[in-house]
Amino acid sequence: MPKLQLYCSVLSPYARKVRIVLAEKQIPHEFIEISASAPGSPVPKINPLGKVPVMVVDDETVLYDSGVIAEYLDMLVPAPSLLPAGGMERVLVRRWDALGQGICDAAVAIAHERNRSVEAQRSPELMAKQRIKVENGLAAADRDIGDREWCYGNALSLGDISLVMAMGWVTQRLPEIEWHRNLPRLAAYRARLEERASFRATANPNLTAALAALK
Amino acid sequence: MPKITLLGGNASPFTRKVRIVLAEKNIAYEQIKAATAGEDNPVIPVNPLGKIPTIIIDGQNSLYDSSVIAEYLDTIAPVPLLLPPPGLDRVEVKRWESLGDGICDAGVALMGERRRTVETERSQEFIARQYNKFERGIAVAAKELGDRQWCHGNAFTLADVALVTAIDYIEFRFPELDWRKRYPNLDAYQARLTKRPAFASTLPSD
Ligand SMILES: N[C@@H](CCC(=O)N[C@@H](CS)C(=O)NCC(=O)O)C(=O)O
Ligand SMILES: N[C@@H](CCC(=O)N[C@@H](CS)C(=O)NCC(=O)O)C(=O)O
Protein backbone atom coordinates (compact mmCIF):
# COMPACT_ATOMS: atom_id res chain seq x y z
CA MET A 1 0.00 0.00 0.00
CA PRO A 2 1.46 3.39 -0.92
CA LYS A 3 1.85 6.08 1.72
CA LEU A 4 -1.21 8.31 1.54
CA GLN A 5 -1.48 11.76 3.09
CA LEU A 6 -4.79 13.54 2.93
CA TYR A 7 -4.68 17.28 3.49
CA CYS A 8 -8.09 18.61 4.26
CA SER A 9 -10.39 20.28 6.70
CA VAL A 10 -13.10 18.34 8.52
CA LEU A 11 -15.37 21.19 7.46
CA SER A 12 -14.90 20.62 3.75
CA PRO A 13 -17.74 18.69 2.11
CA TYR A 14 -15.50 17.57 -0.78
CA ALA A 15 -13.03 16.25 1.74
CA ARG A 16 -15.79 14.33 3.45
CA LYS A 17 -16.47 12.58 0.19
CA VAL A 18 -12.87 11.34 0.10
CA ARG A 19 -12.95 10.43 3.79
CA ILE A 20 -16.07 8.31 3.25
CA VAL A 21 -14.33 6.51 0.39
CA LEU A 22 -11.28 5.86 2.60
CA ALA A 23 -13.52 4.56 5.39
CA GLU A 24 -15.62 2.32 3.12
CA LYS A 25 -12.47 0.73 1.79
CA GLN A 26 -10.68 0.84 5.15
CA ILE A 27 -7.59 2.35 3.60
CA PRO A 28 -4.86 3.38 6.05
CA HIS A 29 -3.77 6.98 5.57
CA GLU A 30 -2.46 10.00 7.37
CA PHE A 31 -5.00 12.73 7.91
CA ILE A 32 -3.63 16.26 8.02
CA GLU A 33 -6.17 18.76 9.25
CA ILE A 34 -5.58 22.03 7.48
CA SER A 35 -7.45 25.04 6.16
CA ALA A 36 -6.82 25.89 2.51
CA SER A 37 -7.18 29.61 2.90
CA ALA A 38 -5.66 30.39 6.31
CA PRO A 39 -2.65 32.70 6.10
CA GLY A 40 0.52 30.67 5.61
CA SER A 41 -1.40 27.50 4.73
CA PRO A 42 0.85 24.98 2.94
CA VAL A 43 -2.04 23.92 0.68
CA PRO A 44 -1.28 26.31 -2.23
CA LYS A 45 2.25 24.90 -2.37
CA ILE A 46 0.87 21.38 -2.71
CA ASN A 47 -2.14 22.08 -4.91
CA PRO A 48 -1.65 25.13 -7.14
CA LEU A 49 -5.40 25.68 -7.08
CA GLY A 50 -5.15 26.21 -3.34
CA LYS A 51 -7.99 23.83 -2.53
CA VAL A 52 -8.65 20.91 -0.29
CA PRO A 53 -8.91 17.96 -0.40
CA VAL A 54 -5.51 17.21 -1.84
CA MET A 55 -3.73 13.86 -1.51
CA VAL A 56 0.00 13.18 -1.64
CA VAL A 57 0.94 9.64 -2.65
CA ASP A 58 4.37 8.32 -1.60
CA ASP A 59 5.63 11.86 -0.93
CA GLU A 60 5.61 12.45 -4.63
CA THR A 61 2.40 12.33 -6.62
CA VAL A 62 -0.14 15.04 -5.87
CA LEU A 63 -3.80 14.31 -6.59
CA TYR A 64 -6.85 16.57 -6.71
CA ASP A 65 -9.76 17.16 -6.90
CA SER A 66 -12.06 14.94 -4.80
CA GLY A 67 -13.36 13.08 -7.86
CA VAL A 68 -9.86 12.24 -9.07
CA ILE A 69 -8.81 11.12 -5.59
CA ALA A 70 -11.92 8.91 -5.35
CA GLU A 71 -11.17 7.37 -8.73
CA TYR A 72 -7.60 6.67 -7.64
CA LEU A 73 -8.68 5.05 -4.37
CA ASP A 74 -11.21 2.89 -6.20
CA MET A 75 -8.43 1.61 -8.40
CA LEU A 76 -6.03 1.12 -5.50
CA VAL A 77 -8.47 -0.86 -3.35
CA PRO A 78 -11.22 -2.21 -5.57
CA ALA A 79 -13.53 -3.55 -2.84
CA PRO A 80 -16.16 -2.38 -2.22
CA SER A 81 -16.31 -1.03 -5.75
CA LEU A 82 -17.66 2.52 -5.91
CA LEU A 83 -17.41 3.07 -9.65
CA PRO A 84 -18.44 0.60 -12.36
CA ALA A 85 -15.46 -0.59 -14.44
CA GLY A 86 -16.38 1.30 -17.58
CA GLY A 87 -18.91 2.07 -20.25
CA MET A 88 -22.22 3.78 -19.76
CA GLU A 89 -22.53 2.50 -16.17
CA ARG A 90 -19.45 4.40 -15.14
CA VAL A 91 -20.62 7.52 -16.99
CA LEU A 92 -23.96 7.43 -15.19
CA VAL A 93 -22.42 7.11 -11.75
CA ARG A 94 -20.09 10.00 -12.55
CA ARG A 95 -23.10 12.03 -13.62
CA TRP A 96 -24.61 11.48 -10.17
CA ASP A 97 -21.28 12.53 -8.74
CA ALA A 98 -21.43 15.70 -10.87
CA LEU A 99 -24.91 16.45 -9.56
CA GLY A 100 -23.77 16.13 -5.94
CA GLN A 101 -20.72 18.26 -6.66
CA GLY A 102 -22.82 20.86 -8.46
CA ILE A 103 -25.29 21.15 -5.57
CA CYS A 104 -22.39 21.49 -3.18
CA ASP A 105 -20.60 24.06 -5.37
CA ALA A 106 -23.73 26.21 -5.35
CA ALA A 107 -24.15 25.84 -1.58
CA VAL A 108 -20.49 26.71 -0.96
CA ALA A 109 -20.86 29.76 -3.23
CA ILE A 110 -23.75 31.00 -1.06
CA ALA A 111 -21.72 30.52 2.11
CA HIS A 112 -18.70 32.33 0.62
CA GLU A 113 -20.88 35.20 -0.40
CA ARG A 114 -22.32 35.41 3.06
CA ASN A 115 -18.87 35.33 4.60
CA ARG A 116 -17.57 38.30 2.66
CA SER A 117 -16.28 40.52 5.38
CA VAL A 118 -17.64 43.69 3.84
CA GLU A 119 -21.38 43.47 3.92
CA ALA A 120 -21.88 45.69 0.88
CA GLN A 121 -19.91 43.18 -1.16
CA ARG A 122 -22.49 40.46 -0.71
CA SER A 123 -24.71 40.04 -3.73
CA PRO A 124 -28.30 38.99 -2.97
CA GLU A 125 -28.82 38.28 -6.64
CA LEU A 126 -25.97 35.80 -6.75
CA MET A 127 -27.14 34.06 -3.59
CA ALA A 128 -30.63 33.73 -5.03
CA LYS A 129 -29.26 32.26 -8.25
CA GLN A 130 -27.17 29.70 -6.41
CA ARG A 131 -30.06 28.80 -4.16
CA ILE A 132 -32.12 27.89 -7.22
CA LYS A 133 -29.34 25.50 -8.25
CA VAL A 134 -29.35 23.86 -4.83
CA GLU A 135 -33.13 23.48 -4.83
CA ASN A 136 -33.40 22.28 -8.41
CA GLY A 137 -30.53 19.88 -7.91
CA LEU A 138 -32.13 18.32 -4.84
CA ALA A 139 -35.52 18.12 -6.56
CA ALA A 140 -33.92 16.34 -9.52
CA ALA A 141 -32.19 13.88 -7.19
CA ASP A 142 -35.49 13.16 -5.47
CA ARG A 143 -37.27 12.62 -8.76
CA ASP A 144 -34.61 10.39 -10.25
CA ILE A 145 -33.92 8.26 -7.19
CA GLY A 146 -37.60 7.84 -6.46
CA ASP A 147 -38.15 5.01 -4.02
CA ARG A 148 -34.94 3.22 -4.88
CA GLU A 149 -32.36 2.48 -2.26
CA TRP A 150 -29.36 3.72 -4.22
CA CYS A 151 -28.99 6.39 -6.86
CA TYR A 152 -27.50 3.83 -9.23
CA GLY A 153 -27.70 0.03 -9.36
CA ASN A 154 -27.94 -2.22 -6.32
CA ALA A 155 -25.16 -0.95 -4.11
CA LEU A 156 -23.50 2.11 -2.69
CA SER A 157 -21.59 4.10 -5.31
CA LEU A 158 -19.66 7.35 -5.52
CA GLY A 159 -22.94 8.91 -6.66
CA ASP A 160 -24.60 8.25 -3.29
CA ILE A 161 -21.56 9.52 -1.44
CA SER A 162 -21.51 12.81 -3.36
CA LEU A 163 -25.22 13.38 -2.99
CA VAL A 164 -25.24 12.73 0.72
CA MET A 165 -22.19 14.87 1.39
CA ALA A 166 -23.94 17.70 -0.48
CA MET A 167 -27.22 17.21 1.40
CA GLY A 168 -25.38 17.01 4.70
CA TRP A 169 -23.54 20.23 4.06
CA VAL A 170 -26.63 22.11 2.90
CA THR A 171 -28.54 20.91 5.97
CA GLN A 172 -25.83 21.96 8.38
CA ARG A 173 -24.67 25.21 6.83
CA LEU A 174 -27.77 26.50 5.07
CA PRO A 175 -30.53 25.27 7.38
CA GLU A 176 -32.93 27.89 6.07
CA ILE A 177 -33.22 25.90 2.83
CA GLU A 178 -35.37 23.32 4.68
CA TRP A 179 -35.34 20.99 1.70
CA HIS A 180 -36.28 17.94 3.77
CA ARG A 181 -39.76 19.33 4.33
CA ASN A 182 -40.52 19.39 0.63
CA LEU A 183 -38.60 16.26 -0.23
CA PRO A 184 -39.29 13.74 2.55
CA ARG A 185 -38.43 10.77 0.35
CA LEU A 186 -34.98 12.17 -0.39
CA ALA A 187 -34.57 13.06 3.27
CA ALA A 188 -35.27 9.41 4.18
CA TYR A 189 -32.66 8.25 1.64
CA ARG A 190 -30.13 10.58 3.20
CA ALA A 191 -31.03 9.59 6.77
CA ARG A 192 -30.56 5.92 5.90
CA LEU A 193 -27.13 6.53 4.38
CA GLU A 194 -25.99 8.78 7.21
CA GLU A 195 -26.41 5.71 9.45
CA ARG A 196 -23.58 3.82 7.72
CA ALA A 197 -20.41 3.65 9.77
CA SER A 198 -18.35 5.49 7.13
CA PHE A 199 -20.83 8.37 7.01
CA ARG A 200 -21.17 8.55 10.76
CA ALA A 201 -17.44 8.60 11.28
CA THR A 202 -17.06 11.56 8.93
CA ALA A 203 -20.04 13.64 9.97
CA ASN A 204 -19.48 16.85 11.84
CA PRO A 205 -21.41 16.36 15.05
CA ASN A 206 -20.19 19.54 16.57
CA LEU A 207 -20.02 22.20 13.96
CA THR A 208 -19.64 25.07 16.40
CA ALA A 209 -16.59 23.48 17.97
CA ALA A 210 -15.07 22.70 14.58
CA LEU A 211 -15.57 26.27 13.41
CA ALA A 212 -14.16 27.65 16.64
CA ALA A 213 -11.07 25.44 16.37
CA LEU A 214 -10.31 27.01 13.02
CA LYS A 215 -10.18 30.50 14.43
CA MET B 1 -24.12 6.99 -33.45
CA PRO B 2 -26.62 8.75 -31.14
CA LYS B 3 -27.83 12.20 -32.03
CA ILE B 4 -26.04 14.75 -29.86
CA THR B 5 -27.22 18.24 -28.99
CA LEU B 6 -24.71 20.41 -27.17
CA LEU B 7 -25.89 23.32 -25.04
CA GLY B 8 -23.21 25.95 -24.60
CA GLY B 9 -21.66 28.96 -26.27
CA ASN B 10 -18.22 29.61 -27.72
CA ALA B 11 -16.96 31.75 -24.87
CA SER B 12 -17.37 28.95 -22.31
CA PRO B 13 -14.11 27.09 -21.70
CA PHE B 14 -15.84 23.96 -20.40
CA THR B 15 -18.01 23.88 -23.51
CA ARG B 16 -14.87 24.21 -25.61
CA LYS B 17 -13.40 21.11 -24.01
CA VAL B 18 -16.42 19.18 -25.23
CA ARG B 19 -16.33 20.77 -28.69
CA ILE B 20 -12.68 19.80 -29.07
CA VAL B 21 -13.44 16.22 -28.06
CA LEU B 22 -16.38 16.05 -30.49
CA ALA B 23 -14.22 17.42 -33.31
CA GLU B 24 -11.25 15.14 -32.57
CA LYS B 25 -13.59 12.18 -32.76
CA ASN B 26 -15.43 13.50 -35.77
CA ILE B 27 -18.81 13.24 -34.09
CA ALA B 28 -21.57 15.26 -35.72
CA TYR B 29 -23.65 17.37 -33.34
CA GLU B 30 -25.98 20.29 -33.10
CA GLN B 31 -24.93 23.22 -30.94
CA ILE B 32 -27.38 25.48 -29.14
CA LYS B 33 -25.71 28.59 -27.76
CA ALA B 34 -27.83 28.73 -24.65
CA ALA B 35 -27.38 31.83 -22.48
CA THR B 36 -27.50 30.87 -18.81
CA ALA B 37 -27.54 34.36 -17.33
CA GLY B 38 -31.15 35.48 -17.81
CA GLU B 39 -34.21 34.91 -15.69
CA ASP B 40 -35.36 31.88 -17.65
CA ASN B 41 -32.23 29.82 -17.90
CA PRO B 42 -33.07 27.43 -20.77
CA VAL B 43 -30.61 24.83 -19.51
CA ILE B 44 -32.45 24.12 -16.25
CA PRO B 45 -35.01 21.69 -17.73
CA VAL B 46 -32.18 19.40 -18.87
CA ASN B 47 -29.62 20.18 -16.17
CA PRO B 48 -30.94 21.21 -12.75
CA LEU B 49 -27.68 23.06 -12.11
CA GLY B 50 -28.38 25.29 -15.09
CA LYS B 51 -24.83 25.06 -16.35
CA ILE B 52 -23.17 24.62 -19.68
CA PRO B 53 -21.95 22.41 -21.20
CA THR B 54 -24.82 19.97 -21.09
CA ILE B 55 -25.50 17.46 -23.83
CA ILE B 56 -28.77 15.82 -24.78
CA ILE B 57 -28.53 12.34 -26.24
CA ASP B 58 -31.15 11.30 -28.79
CA GLY B 59 -33.43 14.04 -27.57
CA GLN B 60 -33.85 12.20 -24.26
CA ASN B 61 -31.10 11.83 -21.72
CA SER B 62 -28.87 14.65 -20.63
CA LEU B 63 -25.33 14.57 -19.33
CA TYR B 64 -23.09 17.05 -17.51
CA ASP B 65 -20.51 18.21 -16.55
CA SER B 66 -17.72 18.56 -19.14
CA SER B 67 -15.65 15.81 -17.60
CA VAL B 68 -18.54 13.33 -17.59
CA ILE B 69 -19.43 14.27 -21.17
CA ALA B 70 -15.81 13.71 -22.27
CA GLU B 71 -15.82 10.28 -20.65
CA TYR B 72 -19.10 9.43 -22.37
CA LEU B 73 -17.81 10.50 -25.78
CA ASP B 74 -14.67 8.47 -25.25
CA THR B 75 -16.91 5.45 -24.60
CA ILE B 76 -19.11 5.79 -27.67
CA ALA B 77 -16.30 6.83 -30.03
CA PRO B 78 -13.02 5.39 -28.78
CA VAL B 79 -10.84 6.72 -31.63
CA PRO B 80 -8.73 8.61 -30.86
CA LEU B 81 -8.79 7.37 -27.29
CA LEU B 82 -8.50 10.34 -24.92
CA LEU B 83 -8.62 8.51 -21.59
CA PRO B 84 -6.44 5.50 -20.81
CA PRO B 85 -8.36 2.52 -19.38
CA PRO B 86 -8.96 2.63 -15.62
CA GLY B 87 -5.62 2.64 -13.80
CA LEU B 88 -2.88 4.99 -12.77
CA ASP B 89 -2.45 6.51 -16.23
CA ARG B 90 -6.09 7.44 -16.31
CA VAL B 91 -5.87 9.00 -12.87
CA GLU B 92 -2.90 11.08 -13.99
CA VAL B 93 -4.71 12.29 -17.08
CA LYS B 94 -7.65 13.25 -14.89
CA ARG B 95 -5.40 15.12 -12.50
CA TRP B 96 -4.27 17.21 -15.46
CA GLU B 97 -7.88 17.69 -16.42
CA SER B 98 -8.62 18.84 -12.91
CA LEU B 99 -5.76 21.35 -13.07
CA GLY B 100 -7.05 22.77 -16.37
CA ASP B 101 -10.62 22.89 -15.05
CA GLY B 102 -9.48 24.53 -11.83
CA ILE B 103 -7.71 27.28 -13.79
CA CYS B 104 -10.91 27.80 -15.78
CA ASP B 105 -13.02 27.82 -12.60
CA ALA B 106 -10.84 30.62 -11.23
CA GLY B 107 -11.14 32.52 -14.52
CA VAL B 108 -14.90 32.09 -14.67
CA ALA B 109 -15.22 33.20 -11.03
CA LEU B 110 -13.16 36.27 -11.79
CA MET B 111 -15.29 37.16 -14.79
CA GLY B 112 -18.36 36.80 -12.57
CA GLU B 113 -16.80 39.21 -10.13
CA ARG B 114 -15.98 41.70 -12.89
CA ARG B 115 -19.51 41.50 -14.19
CA ARG B 116 -21.09 42.42 -10.89
CA THR B 117 -23.12 45.42 -11.85
CA VAL B 118 -22.96 46.92 -8.41
CA GLU B 119 -19.36 48.03 -8.14
CA THR B 120 -19.29 48.00 -4.35
CA GLU B 121 -20.06 44.27 -4.47
CA ARG B 122 -16.65 43.48 -5.95
CA SER B 123 -14.10 42.13 -3.53
CA GLN B 124 -10.43 42.86 -4.21
CA GLU B 125 -9.50 40.07 -1.87
CA PHE B 126 -11.52 37.54 -3.83
CA ILE B 127 -10.07 38.83 -7.09
CA ALA B 128 -6.52 38.45 -5.79
CA ARG B 129 -7.21 34.88 -4.66
CA GLN B 130 -8.44 33.86 -8.09
CA TYR B 131 -5.43 35.46 -9.81
CA ASN B 132 -3.17 33.51 -7.52
CA LYS B 133 -4.91 30.30 -8.47
CA PHE B 134 -4.28 30.65 -12.14
CA GLU B 135 -0.83 32.10 -11.72
CA ARG B 136 0.20 29.07 -9.68
CA GLY B 137 -1.78 26.73 -11.92
CA ILE B 138 -0.05 27.90 -15.09
CA ALA B 139 3.35 27.83 -13.40
CA VAL B 140 2.86 24.22 -12.30
CA ALA B 141 1.54 23.21 -15.72
CA ALA B 142 4.56 24.78 -17.44
CA LYS B 143 6.95 23.09 -15.05
CA GLU B 144 5.37 19.65 -15.35
CA LEU B 145 5.05 19.85 -19.11
CA GLY B 146 8.70 20.83 -19.47
CA ASP B 147 9.86 20.10 -23.00
CA ARG B 148 7.59 17.14 -23.48
CA GLN B 149 5.25 16.97 -26.38
CA TRP B 150 2.17 15.94 -24.42
CA CYS B 151 0.97 16.42 -20.85
CA HIS B 152 0.83 12.72 -20.20
CA GLY B 153 2.86 9.92 -21.74
CA ASN B 154 3.48 9.69 -25.45
CA ALA B 155 0.09 10.52 -26.79
CA PHE B 156 -2.54 13.16 -27.11
CA THR B 157 -5.10 12.84 -24.29
CA LEU B 158 -7.87 14.71 -22.53
CA ALA B 159 -5.10 16.27 -20.42
CA ASP B 160 -3.96 18.26 -23.46
CA VAL B 161 -7.52 19.26 -24.31
CA ALA B 162 -8.01 20.59 -20.77
CA LEU B 163 -4.68 22.40 -20.56
CA VAL B 164 -4.94 24.17 -23.91
CA THR B 165 -8.54 25.09 -23.15
CA ALA B 166 -7.41 26.67 -19.88
CA ILE B 167 -4.47 28.65 -21.22
CA ASP B 168 -6.42 29.83 -24.25
CA TYR B 169 -9.23 30.97 -21.99
CA ILE B 170 -6.79 32.92 -19.84
CA GLU B 171 -5.38 34.58 -22.94
CA PHE B 172 -8.90 35.33 -24.18
CA ARG B 173 -10.12 36.95 -20.96
CA PHE B 174 -6.93 38.06 -19.23
CA PRO B 175 -4.44 38.90 -22.00
CA GLU B 176 -2.52 41.12 -19.58
CA LEU B 177 -1.17 38.01 -17.89
CA ASP B 178 0.81 37.22 -21.04
CA TRP B 179 1.79 33.66 -20.18
CA ARG B 180 3.32 33.24 -23.63
CA LYS B 181 6.21 35.50 -22.80
CA ARG B 182 6.73 34.05 -19.37
CA TYR B 183 6.43 30.39 -20.33
CA PRO B 184 7.96 29.84 -23.78
CA ASN B 185 7.46 26.09 -23.50
CA LEU B 186 3.70 26.57 -23.08
CA ASP B 187 3.74 29.00 -25.97
CA ALA B 188 5.38 26.43 -28.27
CA TYR B 189 3.11 23.65 -27.02
CA GLN B 190 -0.04 25.72 -27.53
CA ALA B 191 1.06 26.77 -31.02
CA ARG B 192 1.69 23.14 -31.98
CA LEU B 193 -1.66 21.93 -30.66
CA THR B 194 -3.51 24.80 -32.26
CA LYS B 195 -2.51 23.36 -35.64
CA ARG B 196 -4.98 20.57 -34.97
CA PRO B 197 -8.26 21.44 -36.69
CA ALA B 198 -10.25 20.54 -33.55
CA PHE B 199 -8.42 23.29 -31.66
CA ALA B 200 -8.16 25.85 -34.46
CA SER B 201 -11.88 25.64 -35.22
CA THR B 202 -12.98 26.15 -31.62
CA LEU B 203 -10.92 29.14 -30.43
CA PRO B 204 -12.85 31.09 -27.79
CA SER B 205 -15.05 33.94 -29.00
CA ASP B 206 -17.85 36.08 -27.66
N1 LIG C 1 -13.88 20.53 -7.04
C1 LIG C 1 -13.10 20.50 -5.81
C2 LIG C 1 -13.60 21.55 -4.86
C3 LIG C 1 -12.72 21.72 -3.65
C4 LIG C 1 -13.01 23.01 -2.88
O1 LIG C 1 -13.62 23.95 -3.42
N2 LIG C 1 -12.59 23.05 -1.61
C5 LIG C 1 -12.76 24.22 -0.77
C6 LIG C 1 -13.04 23.81 0.65
S1 LIG C 1 -14.64 23.16 0.84
C7 LIG C 1 -11.47 25.01 -0.74
O2 LIG C 1 -10.41 24.44 -0.57
N3 LIG C 1 -11.57 26.33 -0.91
C8 LIG C 1 -10.46 27.22 -0.80
C9 LIG C 1 -10.27 28.04 -2.03
O3 LIG C 1 -10.94 27.76 -3.06
O4 LIG C 1 -9.43 28.94 -2.01
C10 LIG C 1 -13.18 19.10 -5.21
O5 LIG C 1 -14.16 18.39 -5.48
O6 LIG C 1 -12.24 18.69 -4.55
N1 LIG D 1 -17.63 21.81 -13.71
C1 LIG D 1 -18.42 22.29 -14.80
C2 LIG D 1 -18.32 23.79 -14.90
C3 LIG D 1 -19.28 24.38 -15.90
C4 LIG D 1 -19.44 25.89 -15.73
O1 LIG D 1 -19.03 26.47 -14.74
N2 LIG D 1 -20.05 26.52 -16.74
C5 LIG D 1 -20.34 27.93 -16.70
C6 LIG D 1 -20.00 28.60 -18.03
S1 LIG D 1 -18.34 28.48 -18.49
C7 LIG D 1 -21.83 28.13 -16.50
O2 LIG D 1 -22.64 27.41 -17.04
N3 LIG D 1 -22.21 29.16 -15.71
C8 LIG D 1 -23.56 29.55 -15.55
C9 LIG D 1 -24.09 29.30 -14.19
O3 LIG D 1 -23.35 28.76 -13.34
O4 LIG D 1 -25.25 29.61 -13.95
C10 LIG D 1 -17.97 21.62 -16.08
O5 LIG D 1 -16.82 21.12 -16.14
O6 LIG D 1 -18.76 21.50 -17.03
Side-chain angles (χ1 to χ4, degrees), chain A residues 3-106:
Chain A
K3 174 178 164 196
L4 303 178
Q5 292 170 302
L6 178 66
Y7 289 82
C8 69
S9 154
V10 289
L11 292 172
S12 161
Y14 311 100
R16 184 178 183 211
K17 182 170 132 185
V18 171
R19 289 160 64 219
I20 293 173
V21 173
L22 287 161
E24 283 289 334
K25 294 173 179 285
Q26 301 193 21
I27 301 177
H29 63 279
E30 184 187 344
F31 179 90
I32 299 146
E33 167 72 36
I34 199 109
S35 147
S37 47
S41 168
V43 171
K45 288 200 196 77
I46 305 170
N47 172 359
L49 302 170
K51 294 186 186 180
V52 294
V54 54
M55 182 171 265
V56 181
V57 182
D58 282 337
D59 296 318
E60 178 178 311
T61 308
V62 176
L63 294 180
Y64 49 84
D65 62 359
S66 62
V68 177
I69 301 173
E71 189 160 345
Y72 167 72
L73 295 173
D74 203 50
M75 177 207 83
L76 188 68
V77 176
S81 163
L82 297 175
L83 277 166
M88 204 54 202
E89 288 86 8
R90 192 177 177 101
V91 169
L92 289 175
V93 169
R94 291 204 58 232
R95 177 188 188 273
W96 277 110
D97 176 34
L99 180 60
Q101 288 279 123
I103 294 171
C104 202
D105 287 344

Side-chain angles (χ1 to χ4, degrees), chain A residues 129 133, chain B residues 12-14 36 50-53 65-66 101 108:
Chain A
K129 195 177 150 190
K133 289 186 200 294
Chain B
S12 156
F14 300 102
T36 53
K51 289 194 182 183
I52 53 167
D65 60 2
S66 64
D101 285 1
V108 168

Side-chain angles (χ1 to χ4, degrees), chain A residues 27-211:
Chain A
I27 301 177
H29 63 279
E30 184 187 344
F31 179 90
I32 299 146
E33 167 72 36
I34 199 109
S35 147
S37 47
S41 168
V43 171
K45 288 200 196 77
I46 305 170
N47 172 359
L49 302 170
K51 294 186 186 180
V52 294
V54 54
M55 182 171 265
V56 181
V57 182
D58 282 337
D59 296 318
E60 178 178 311
T61 308
V62 176
L63 294 180
Y64 49 84
D65 62 359
S66 62
V68 177
I69 301 173
E71 189 160 345
Y72 167 72
L73 295 173
D74 203 50
M75 177 207 83
L76 188 68
V77 176
S81 163
L82 297 175
L83 277 166
M88 204 54 202
E89 288 86 8
R90 192 177 177 101
V91 169
L92 289 175
V93 169
R94 291 204 58 232
R95 177 188 188 273
W96 277 110
D97 176 34
L99 180 60
Q101 288 279 123
I103 294 171
C104 202
D105 287 344
V108 168
I110 296 175
H112 274 172
E113 197 66 22
R114 222 175 251 178
N115 288 343
R116 287 191 173 208
S117 47
V118 184
E119 180 153 8
Q121 288 176 354
R122 299 176 202 153
S123 159
E125 193 192 327
L126 181 138
M127 290 191 265
K129 195 177 150 190
Q130 299 299 329
R131 183 171 172 153
I132 292 176
K133 289 186 200 294
V134 172
E135 289 174 341
N136 283 336
L138 291 170
D142 177 65
R143 193 184 58 230
D144 292 350
I145 299 175
D147 291 317
R148 285 180 299 121
E149 196 174 349
W150 312 103
C151 68
Y152 186 83
N154 298 317
L156 177 80
S157 71
L158 189 62
D160 300 300
I161 297 175
S162 286
L163 283 175
V164 174
M165 70 87 181
M167 289 186 249
W169 205 82
V170 171
T171 308
Q172 218 166 27
R173 301 297 284 273
L174 307 171
E176 72 283 5
I177 294 191
E178 298 201 313
W179 61 275
H180 19 69
R181 283 218 199 157
N182 305 329
L183 305 171
R185 190 172 55 175
L186 188 68
Y189 158 90
R190 173 192 170 217
R192 196 166 35 74
L193 273 157
E194 292 278 18
E195 284 302 310
R196 281 175 86 91
S198 61
F199 286 72
R200 293 226 316 242
T202 55
N204 238 323
N206 194 338
L207 187 64
T208 327
L211 284 168

Side-chain angles (χ1 to χ4, degrees), chain B residues 36-47:
Chain B
T36 53
E39 283 286 291
D40 291 307
N41 181 341
V43 183
I44 287 181
V46 285
N47 173 353

